Amino acid sequence: MKVILVSALAGVAAAFSPSTKPVQKATSLNEFANGYVGGEGPEPIPLLRSNSVNFDPCGFAERAPEWLPWFREAELKHGRVAMLATVGFVMPEIFRVPGEQFSVEAIPRVIDAHDALPDSMIQIFGWISFLEACSFGALANMNEYDRVPGDFGFDPLGLYPEDPAKQKEMQLKELKNGRLAMISIGGMVAGAAISGNGFPYLP
């Protein structure tokens, strides 16, 4: 359990780390998806005679190269939210914040907190909206290619390495952990709703 939580938080730690990777203005003929990390592979893909190298079955990289920075920004943002969500979904199974309304007696199942605490959900939605609004400026100049997608220059712990090779390695770790978390949180919520049980949400 601790290993899972630490791994998820480590992935989030790289979320807003600044990048010194040169920004590219167009897709190179020799590079897939502007050279962004994530297409290295070579994980096998079930039922297909191929692997995950430059996997793009819908052809987004070729059909809309001008939108690639926005696609990567959206993928990173959803991955970061999903990593936080997986931790936030499991942690209340271990401990609860103070307050009778948050107790196990009041809300035995974590998944029921959404409907049982409408006032808290409004506050959460408000803070999420505020943080999203803070990123409007960065998103507005996305097509100017003056920053790497996902880079908000926020790294208070100084975790982002200076070596370009290690930077790419950390970017890939964050991307893959985010992709896994997006799938995981869906499975966790579905398992909790169907089984009615807490972690690990099995029947």
Side-chain angles (χ1 to χ4, degrees):
M1 174 70 72
K2 292 183 179 179
V3 174
I4 295 174
L5 298 178
V6 171
S7 299
L9 291 174
V12 176
F16 304 102
S17 302
S19 173
T20 58
K21 181 180 178 181
V23 181
Q24 298 166 326
K25 292 182 176 294
T27 303
S28 171
L29 294 177
N30 297 321
E31 289 185 313
F32 173 76
N34 281 358
Y36 295 149
V37 300
E40 294 82 352
E43 297 87 354
I45 301 177
L47 306 179
L48 295 179
R49 294 182 178 179
S50 63
N51 54 38
S52 60
V53 175
N54 296 341
F55 183 70
D56 184 21
C58 296
F60 290 129
E62 295 181 359
R63 293 191 299 167
E66 70 279 7
W67 281 91
L68 283 175
W70 190 89
F71 291 153
R72 176 48 56 91
E73 180 94 6
E75 182 178 22
L76 285 172
K77 181 176 289 187
H78 283 82
R80 292 165 179 172
V81 171
M83 285 189 281
L84 291 172
T86 54
V87 176
F89 201 72
V90 174
M91 292 310 294
E93 303 278 3
I94 303 173
F95 67 88
R96 301 290 180 93
V97 296
E100 183 179 349
Q101 68 272 32
F102 305 119
S103 65
V104 177
E105 291 74 20
I107 308 176
R109 301 195 313 162
V110 175
I111 196 172
D112 294 331
H114 181 278
D115 297 331
L117 300 169
D119 293 338
S120 298
M121 294 305 301
I122 292 174
Q123 293 185 47
I124 293 173
F125 180 77
W127 281 109
I128 291 175
S129 300
F130 172 74
L131 293 174
E132 186 71 14
C134 290
S135 68
F136 285 171
L139 293 174
N141 66 13
M142 179 62 68
N143 287 333
E144 300 299 327
Y145 303 95
D146 63 348
R147 71 180 181 90
V148 176
D151 177 13
F152 291 92
F154 182 74
D155 185 23
L157 300 179
L159 298 176
Y160 199 63
E162 297 182 0
D163 180 65
K166 292 188 178 298
Q167 289 178 358
K168 187 173 182 179
E169 181 181 356
M170 180 171 280
Q171 291 170 6
L172 184 59
K173 287 179 179 179
E174 180 190 17
L175 185 66
K176 288 191 173 185
N177 278 280
R179 290 171 174 173
L180 178 61
M182 285 188 281
I183 298 173
S184 299
I185 189 62
M188 292 164 65
V189 171
I194 294 173
S195 70
N197 298 326
F199 185 83
Y201 317 112
L202 299 175

